[in-house]
Amino acid sequence: MAVLIEIVTGERAVTDRLSEGGLTEEVVARLGATSDPRLREIMQALTRHLHAFAREVRLTDEEWLAGIRFLTATGQKCDDVRQEFILLSDTLGLSSLVDLINHSDVESMATEPTILGPFYVPESPWRDNFDSIVEYDDGGEPTIVRGVVRDASGAPIAGAVVDVWHNAATGFYAVQQPDEQPPTNLRGRFRTDDEGRYEFRTVRPVPYPIPNDGPVGQLLRDTGRHEWRAAHIHMKVSADGCTPLTTHVFDRESDYLDSDTVFGVKESLIADFVPDEDGTLICVYDVVLRRDEGSVHP
Ligand code: BEZ
Ligand code: FE
């Protein structure tokens, strides 16, 4: 009899642990064996949140399978130049949230950062100040972008690297149209002069849809969202002894500033593109870097 009670109690303990109420903590407990403390923290929190999500929406078998199919298709859409998982993260606001968590420091007075995006290509050609980054004429509006790179005290930073890239008047980045645009069209690296100044000639960027022929585009349509980004120029700015900055400058006249599909717009990053006497648009965009003596120029 004593043996029988023990067996029944033992079975019940297993059942409770693996019931809807007990399963989450059972998985979390098993992850307790993870030796890397950060991996343990991340996996345990991920498990708790994932289980809470399934419980909250009462996830059905079919919905679970649809989710698996969606993630499979997302992975299958990735290749050397297409990263569908980053697009998913971008459109869910996760990329912007991670950027805010790690790089937002309003007290530093530095220029606000925003997401890198998938079209950055390292090692853009070095160009001289005042040069053009246009290597292919697609009828875009002639534009000059100029500004000064400073630190938070207002001191200009000489020798800072300003790495820029943006799309053509057709809406596409050079990397998206390898058979059409030269690979270095509309991108380049500049070095600020002794007074911290940079300047380049280009064409006005235009709003564009993010790649929408994959599962993320389908999800945007299924959820009644558009796929457009507000017009912008990307910038990576770095200098010795300063925290590197990845940001954009947005065109104040662009559509989609209020509804950028990847949540990248910040008020402080919006600038005017004002025509001068001969009709060339002038965008003045100063950049403030945060001093950080540990940072070495890349
Ligand atoms: C971009 O700005 O280049 C970009 C960012 C996120 C998704 C797609 C494009
Ligand atoms: Fe972009």
Side-chain angles (χ1 to χ4, degrees):
M1 191 58 175
V3 173
L4 185 57
I5 288 169
E6 207 172 276
I7 290 168
V8 170
T9 318
E11 275 178 2
R12 184 162 306 136
V14 169
T15 314
D16 286 348
R17 280 193 284 123
L18 300 186
S19 67
E20 189 188 321
L23 180 63
T24 304
E25 284 312 310
E26 178 66 14
V27 179
V28 167
R30 276 195 218 175
L31 288 165
T34 312
S35 58
D36 178 333
R38 181 64 175 157
L39 180 61
R40 181 167 65 240
E41 181 185 2
I42 287 173
M43 289 309 299
Q44 289 182 329
L46 177 68
T47 301
R48 288 201 177 98
H49 287 273
L50 200 56
H51 286 210
F53 153 74
R55 266 189 220 100
E56 180 182 324
V57 301
R58 304 309 301 164
L59 197 67
T60 67
D61 294 342
E62 295 73 30
E63 289 161 348
W64 171 83
L65 193 55
I68 298 289
R69 287 205 183 101
F70 174 81
L71 292 174
T72 304
T74 300
Q76 286 168 340
K77 193 72 188 167
C78 295
D79 59 28
D80 287 350
V81 290
R82 177 74 178 260
Q83 230 306 347
E84 194 77 357
F85 272 111
I86 294 185
L87 274 188
L88 179 59
S89 161
D90 293 342
T91 53
L92 291 177
L94 180 62
S95 308
S96 282
L97 179 60
V98 172
D99 190 48
L100 285 166
I101 291 168
N102 291 286
H103 304 291
S104 185
D105 178 3
V106 267
E107 265 148 47
S108 76
M109 306 299 286
T111 299
E112 288 192 277
T114 192
I115 57 174
L116 178 69
F119 302 131
Y120 173 64
V121 181
E123 306 292 319
S124 275
W126 287 103
R127 306 192 193 260
D128 291 329
N129 270 325
F130 310 111
D131 274 0
S132 175
I133 60 173
V134 182
E135 297 180 0
Y136 166 86
D137 184 7
D138 63 5
E141 289 181 73
T143 298
I144 292 175
V145 182
R146 65 166 73 107
V148 176
V149 179
R150 304 179 193 278
D151 67 14
S153 76
I157 302 176
V161 176
V162 181
D163 189 347
V164 300
W165 67 105
H166 71 86
N167 66 354
T170 53
F172 294 106
Y173 286 75
V175 71
Q176 293 177 284
Q177 287 190 304
D179 299 330
E180 189 78 26
Q181 301 183 40
T184 52
N185 189 39
L186 299 177
R187 61 190 185 93
R189 282 182 288 176
F190 295 84
R191 224 175 251 286
T192 56
D193 68 12
D194 288 348
E195 292 173 55
R197 293 176 302 200
Y198 73 90
E199 173 164 338
F200 60 92
R201 294 177 167 273
T202 188
V203 287
R204 190 179 209 165
V206 298
Y208 61 94
I210 64 166
N212 56 22
D213 58 342
V216 172
Q218 188 58 50
L219 186 62
L220 288 176
R221 289 186 286 281
D222 290 347
T223 51
R225 290 175 56 185
H226 72 69
E227 53 223 9
W228 289 84
R229 291 223 64 199
H232 58 270
I233 296 173
H234 293 261
M235 279 190 189
K236 270 163 96 65
V237 186
S238 56
D240 264 344
C242 293
T243 305
L245 170 74
T246 299
T247 195
H248 300 5
V249 49
F250 289 95
D251 181 345
R252 194 177 304 284
E253 287 180 20
S254 175
D255 289 336
Y256 309 111
L257 287 171
D258 286 338
S259 63
D260 182 53
T261 196
V262 298
F263 309 94
V265 180
K266 295 174 184 177
E267 184 61 37
S268 68
L269 306 182
I270 301 173
D272 295 300
F273 286 59
V274 183
D276 69 6
E277 53 290 347
D278 73 2
T280 302
L281 296 167
I282 310 289
C283 170
V284 177
Y285 191 68
D286 291 348
V287 172
V288 179
L289 293 183
R290 186 170 32 178
R291 288 273 176 208
D292 169 10
E293 294 316 324
S295 271
V296 178
H297 216 335

